[in-house]
Amino acid sequence: MEECHVVAMPYPGRGHINPMMSLCQLLASKTDRIRITFVVTEEWLGFLGSEPKPPPANVRFATVPNVLPSEIGRAADYPGFYEAAQTKLEEPFERLLDRLEPPEPGVIIYDTEMPWVVGVGNRRDIPVASLWTMPASVFTVFHHFDLLVQNGHFPADVSAPISIPFHSIPHPIKLMEVPNNNPTTICHVVTMPYPGRGHINPMINFCKLLASKRDDILITFVVTEEWLGFLSSEPKPPANLRFATIPNVVPSEEGRGADFPGFVRAVLTKMEEPFERLLERLEQPQKPSFIIHDTCLPWVVGVGNRRDIPVASFWPQPVSVFSVCYHFNLVKLNGQFPVDVSERGNELVNYIPGIPPTRIADLPTFFHGDGLKTVHLACEAVSRVPKAQHLLLTSIYELESQTIDTIKAAIPTPIYSIGPSIPYFRLGDNSSLSIDSQNGESSYMQWLDSQPESSVLYISQGSFLSVSRTQMDEIIAGVDMSGVRFLWVARGDASRIKEGCGVPNSKTIVEDWKIGWKVRRGMGEEEHLVTREEIAGIVQRFMDLESDEGKEMRGRAKELKEVCRRAISKMGSAETAIDAFIQDISRHRDR
């Protein structure tokens, strides 16, 4: 049996989308030979992306632009909303059908209240099925409406008191939570992250923090269609944070490591046009008045300047990396770029303002190896920051004060140290933790709670691992050999980890903060394989609670923890900076 591609087009309302989605999930669970594309507006995909349970793998979302009045406030003019649903959706839906991935749609399921879909299907020779989401009695009343007119019962004066019996019928479908439809928007902020996990996570965490502080700020979080699919399983965002998409104009996240320089070039050249087209559509309930963009997307500054929209550059990495990129010309003037790290890696770089003497080998990884292909792009992006109206640094001032002060002196732009780019505002909230639906295992938090204190090693290698496959195999085997309990956050190599075992930079962590050890041996092309035996020994040493060096390291870590806690507390440096930034962007409410 060939795969059957079903396209579902619901009416854009909760009482219609819920039944359509429930039917699609039921169909998808019956056979994996059915692929369902569920079509909604960009705004509605944002609402659905916060649902507690993602749909089956063979149900995917696709979007049409927000050509209708926003769900947030549609009741103010429902006849106008209904008319827009009948007249504005057909053209973008038909364009979407043109670009859907094979196989070609074999059938369209549409909400009966979207009659124009029948015409689309007939023109394209695609069978259509009409889904009626209300009681059958309501359908038959509409079908025989002419009888009401003929018998003089329409129009009628219904002002006289009438009694209507109400029968409560248990509904087998669990309804999704209805979003808050009544926030008063005073400032519409559009955010454009770089399409990578290490950039999207910090940006969305900051947006959630902004949204939780002020319900009169509406945030539109822009990602590619592929990334919106990834984010659909994330915890529910605040009601005033919605998603919007641009097409998948860059290589897939699933294989970007095969040609990372090509991926970067696509990000810098392919995303600007669809982003600008999206801005033209983002008019409901209020036109964009501010843009927050990832520093690695410098073209956003030009878009904002052309449209007279203020922009804030968001830097999600350590401030020391920003400073090195900003002063890149000094590295070249001093003859330390480009160099062979295996020969000159121990040379000190001691002239970058605000940065303590640093070995060449400890500069950001894109200063050597394969990074040489993209380092000029990163440095060029940082050089564009002064053209933005604000700079947001995801750092705690007390931990990088010297570097931050140096940057503030060099760049005549308001700069805010907004604190860590992790969801610290959710500490103590376990609502986002779930049960593994496939094997019934308890959540990882329940497992952690059952372990002895300080006995679990947390391992995270980020979303773009740069070690060889051979080295990864040694890491997996070494951790397993150590006998230590661990919680490994894995992406991509998860299956290999399960089979084998049944981000400030390293200089800051090891030399400045003294809360970690280096594992790498050698530099550049002379870098050697670290064996599983060595890794097992390091892990055992690291987790030895009785050793003096371990106690000292944990003591320093607790001190840093307290510095961070004070910064994010009320009146702390990060909290104060965020409040100041909110005040600044709120001034643009009437633009």
Side-chain angles (χ1 to χ4, degrees):
M1 174 184 175
E2 296 183 356
E3 185 178 53
C4 178
H5 186 181
V6 178
V7 176
M9 182 69 239
Y11 180 89
R14 182 64 77 177
H16 297 258
I17 286 178
N18 277 359
M20 178 77 83
M21 174 57 74
S22 296
L23 173 64
C24 289
Q25 290 177 338
L26 181 61
L27 291 176
S29 68
K30 295 283 187 181
T31 173
D32 58 7
R33 302 302 300 167
I34 292 179
R35 184 210 295 180
I36 299 174
T37 298
F38 197 89
V39 182
V40 288
T41 63
E42 292 166 343
E43 180 183 46
W44 262 105
L45 190 53
F47 296 147
L48 295 174
S50 64
E51 298 297 336
K53 184 179 180 180
N58 51 336
V59 176
R60 64 179 183 179
F61 291 106
T63 61
V64 294
N66 292 324
V67 293
L68 309 177
S70 174
E71 177 71 12
I72 303 173
R74 66 170 174 152
D77 179 19
Y78 185 72
F81 179 89
Y82 192 85
E83 180 180 359
Q86 304 303 321
T87 60
K88 303 290 188 182
L89 283 166
E90 181 173 359
E91 181 183 353
F93 176 73
E94 196 150 11
R95 288 201 307 267
L96 174 65
L97 290 179
D98 290 333
R99 66 173 193 267
L100 287 179
E101 297 177 0
E104 295 292 324
V107 65
I108 301 174
I109 303 175
Y110 76 99
D111 191 293
T112 307
E113 298 211 32
M114 311 279 270
W116 49 263
V117 178
V118 177
V120 173
N122 290 345
R123 287 195 298 273
R124 292 171 172 265
D125 197 25
I126 303 174
V128 296
S130 184
L131 176 71
W132 180 256
T133 61
M134 291 180 277
S137 57
V138 178
F139 181 94
T140 197
V141 169
F142 278 112
H143 188 65
H144 297 288
F145 180 66
D146 60 314
L147 296 180
L148 292 175
V149 177
Q150 292 173 15
N151 284 274
H153 288 158
F154 184 90
D157 182 1
V158 295
S159 59
I162 58 175
S163 176
I164 300 178
F166 179 81
H167 304 284
S168 178
I169 303 175
H171 202 296
I173 301 174
K174 180 180 179 182
L175 298 181
M176 306 174 191
E177 183 178 350
V178 178
N180 176 11
N181 289 340
N182 298 304
T184 302
T185 303
I186 64 168
C187 183
H188 183 185
V189 179
V190 176
T191 59
M192 183 70 249
Y194 180 95
R197 179 66 68 176
H199 296 256
I200 286 178
N201 278 0
M203 179 81 83
I204 201 167
N205 286 333
F206 180 61
C207 288
K208 288 178 180 178
L209 183 59
L210 287 182
S212 68
K213 282 179 168 288
R214 295 276 292 270
D215 60 5
D216 50 8
I217 293 177
L218 172 67
I219 299 175
T220 299
F221 196 88
V222 181
V223 288
T224 63
E225 293 169 345
E226 179 186 45
W227 263 105
L228 191 53
F230 296 148
L231 294 173
S232 64
S233 60
E234 298 291 327
K236 180 181 179 181
N240 51 333
L241 195 164
R242 64 181 184 178
F243 294 97
T245 62
I246 59 175
N248 293 324
V249 293
V250 297
S252 172
E253 176 71 12
E254 301 294 345
R256 63 174 174 144
D259 179 19
F260 186 65
F263 180 85
V264 173
R265 286 192 295 271
V267 166
L268 295 177
T269 59
K270 303 291 188 181
M271 295 177 68
E272 181 173 359
E273 182 182 354
F275 175 73
E276 196 151 12
R277 289 202 307 267
L278 174 65
L279 286 181
E280 293 173 354
R281 303 196 301 264
L282 292 178
E283 298 183 354
Q284 298 294 336
Q286 183 172 334
K287 292 182 179 180
S289 51
F290 204 89
I291 300 174
I292 301 175
H293 76 102
D294 191 293
T295 306
C296 292
L297 299 177
W299 49 263
V300 178
V301 178
V303 172
N305 289 346
R306 287 195 299 272
R307 293 176 169 271
D308 194 28
I309 304 175
V311 296
S313 185
F314 181 89
W315 181 254
Q317 301 174 58
V319 180
S320 57
V321 177
F322 181 96
S323 186
V324 171
C325 292
Y326 190 73
H327 297 100
F328 178 56
N329 62 311
L330 295 179
V331 185
K332 292 194 294 184
L333 289 173
N334 283 271
Q336 293 186 309
F337 181 88
V339 298
D340 185 342
V341 179
S342 61
E343 294 180 359
R344 300 176 58 186
N346 284 320
E347 288 184 20
L348 288 180
V349 177
N350 56 9
Y351 44 78
I352 297 179
I355 302 293
T358 303
R359 297 186 313 155
I360 291 177
D362 290 324
L363 292 176
T365 54
F366 49 72
F367 274 81
H368 45 78
D370 290 340
L372 294 174
K373 300 175 183 177
T374 58
V375 62
H376 65 288
L377 299 175
C379 295
E380 181 182 350
V382 171
S383 72
R384 298 282 295 276
V385 167
K387 297 183 182 296
Q389 283 69 48
H390 305 268
L391 173 60
L392 301 170
L393 301 174
T394 56
S395 176
I396 290 176
Y397 176 78
E398 289 82 353
L399 297 183
E400 296 188 273
S401 59
Q402 183 178 357
T403 308
I404 293 171
D405 287 341
T406 301
I407 293 173
K408 287 183 175 181
I411 299 178
T413 295
I415 297 175
Y416 309 86
S417 300
I418 59 174
S421 55
I422 59 174
Y424 62 83
F425 49 89
R426 293 185 63 87
L427 290 175
D429 178 7
N430 292 336
S431 61
S432 64
L433 305 177
S434 62
I435 302 298
D436 189 322
S437 59
Q438 294 184 351
N439 56 25
E441 291 179 341
S442 297
S443 70
Y444 58 85
M445 286 299 292
Q446 292 173 330
W447 177 82
L448 280 172
D449 287 341
S450 68
Q451 308 306 312
E453 184 176 354
S454 301
S455 68
V456 178
L457 176 67
Y458 175 74
I459 307 173
S460 176
Q461 294 169 303
S463 59
F464 195 67
L465 186 60
S466 59
V467 301
S468 68
R469 186 177 185 88
T470 302
Q471 183 63 83
M472 187 65 191
D473 288 338
E474 292 298 304
I475 293 173
I476 293 171
V479 172
D480 183 44
M481 186 183 297
S482 72
V484 167
R485 299 176 180 88
F486 62 87
L487 179 65
W488 197 318
V489 179
R491 201 182 314 277
D493 276 308
S495 61
R496 293 172 60 205
I497 293 168
K498 290 178 181 177
E499 292 167 2
C501 300
V503 177
N505 62 32
S506 61
K507 177 188 179 298
T508 301
I509 292 173
V510 176
E511 298 179 17
D512 300 339
W513 294 346
K514 296 181 174 60
I515 58 171
W517 299 320
K518 282 188 178 179
V519 178
R520 181 192 301 175
R521 295 174 55 203
M523 294 176 290
E525 296 181 359
E526 300 298 322
E527 188 170 335
H528 304 297
L529 185 74
V530 182
T531 67
R532 61 190 64 189
E533 290 80 11
E534 292 174 289
I535 292 172
I538 291 172
V539 169
Q540 290 169 343
R541 175 181 160 211
F542 189 81
M543 295 299 292
D544 184 356
L545 301 181
E546 302 303 322
S547 69
D548 291 338
E549 60 180 345
K551 291 178 180 178
E552 292 177 4
M553 186 169 58
R554 287 178 176 79
R556 288 189 291 270
K558 288 181 179 179
E559 292 174 2
L560 291 175
K561 174 184 176 181
E562 181 59 25
V563 171
C564 296
R565 189 197 63 77
R566 288 196 300 267
I568 64 177
S569 299
K570 189 175 181 61
M571 302 304 293
S573 61
E575 185 80 359
T576 301
I578 293 170
D579 289 342
F581 177 67
I582 290 175
Q583 290 298 318
D584 281 350
I585 65 175
S586 294
R587 296 192 183 102
H588 301 284
R589 68 188 69 180
D590 299 321
R591 290 181 63 87

